[in-house]
Amino acid sequence: MKVLLNAQEFEITLQRIAYELVEHHDNFEETAIIGIQPRGVLLSDRLVGIIRAITGNDALRYGKLDITFHRDDLHTRAGMQVPSVNDIPFSIEGRKLVLIDDVLHTGRTIRAAMDAVLAYGRPSKIELLSLVDRKFSRELPVQADYTGRSIDTIATQRVLVEWEPEPRVLLIDG
């Protein structure tokens, strides 16, 4: 096991990404943030709080998206899939969206998220934010616009984002 980001590095990374988003989206008048359930929501909750503190925009549009029934491996997974609740209380039609997930690996989660988003309307642009980009394990042509950390991994390794007792990112062998 290797620590990729300790608690201090984790917080610095979140601050950097939040400022990057503010730099590109100003006051978020035309942009909404959508966290992908479940792990992307933990990250997006934190980022939205930081962005609101930076911009003073408490009306920032923020939603949570479940992709359970849009996954291409839905029927191959063991057990019954229990979806999370979608919470997108605004129109995405013609709006810029920033999709947020914790780890970008094969790209299949993001493909499913884009399918799920399109069920709500047609955004003008979709950007992707990922805390960790496992850049050499992509199966689909997906690339993050905002990344906390890019790493090289092999197929047998896993990246784990922990939130308790304090946030950190781990690389686990096997």
Side-chain angles (χ1 to χ4, degrees):
M1 177 177 74
K2 177 182 177 185
V3 177
L4 297 175
L5 293 174
N6 63 32
Q8 182 181 11
E9 294 165 331
F10 194 99
E11 292 304 323
I12 290 168
T13 300
L14 291 187
Q15 290 285 330
R16 178 183 53 79
I17 292 171
Y19 275 102
E20 224 179 312
L21 285 168
V22 170
E23 181 181 333
H24 288 112
H25 296 281
D26 194 29
N27 63 359
F28 286 81
E29 192 68 31
E30 306 292 323
T31 306
I33 293 176
I34 296 182
I36 300 171
Q37 298 272 17
R39 294 176 312 274
V41 169
L42 297 171
L43 177 60
S44 58
D45 282 346
R46 293 283 287 274
L47 283 170
V48 165
I50 296 168
I51 292 167
R52 284 181 172 151
I54 294 168
T55 63
N57 181 359
D58 289 331
L60 180 120
R61 290 171 194 85
Y62 173 44
K64 300 171 184 177
L65 180 69
D66 178 73
I67 62 166
T68 301
F69 298 118
H70 295 273
R71 295 186 61 90
D72 60 7
D73 62 352
L74 176 65
H75 302 293
T76 61
R77 292 177 150 216
M80 182 170 194
Q81 299 302 306
V82 179
S84 299
V85 175
N86 284 314
D87 180 17
I88 302 177
F90 51 85
S91 172
I92 68 162
E93 195 68 36
R95 188 171 308 285
K96 295 175 190 170
L97 299 181
V98 178
L99 288 178
I100 297 181
D101 202 10
D102 62 344
V103 178
L104 175 56
H105 184 207
T106 62
R108 293 187 178 284
T109 295
I110 305 310
R111 188 219 41 88
M114 289 191 295
D115 284 351
V117 159
L118 293 176
Y120 284 89
R122 185 176 180 190
S124 65
K125 182 177 185 178
I126 299 176
E127 295 179 334
L128 175 61
L129 183 152
S130 178
L131 181 62
V132 179
D133 181 358
R134 294 181 63 174
K135 59 185 177 180
F136 292 122
S137 51
R138 211 76 77 238
E139 295 175 11
L140 298 173
V142 174
Q143 179 177 325
D145 299 283
Y146 309 95
T147 303
R149 180 91 184 257
S150 293
I151 61 166
D152 302 333
T153 60
I154 57 176
T156 59
Q157 293 174 315
R158 289 184 327 128
V159 173
L160 178 63
V161 178
E162 288 186 338
W163 294 93
E164 298 293 332
E166 57 184 20
R168 65 184 184 158
V169 178
L170 304 172
L171 180 64
I172 301 169
D173 289 311

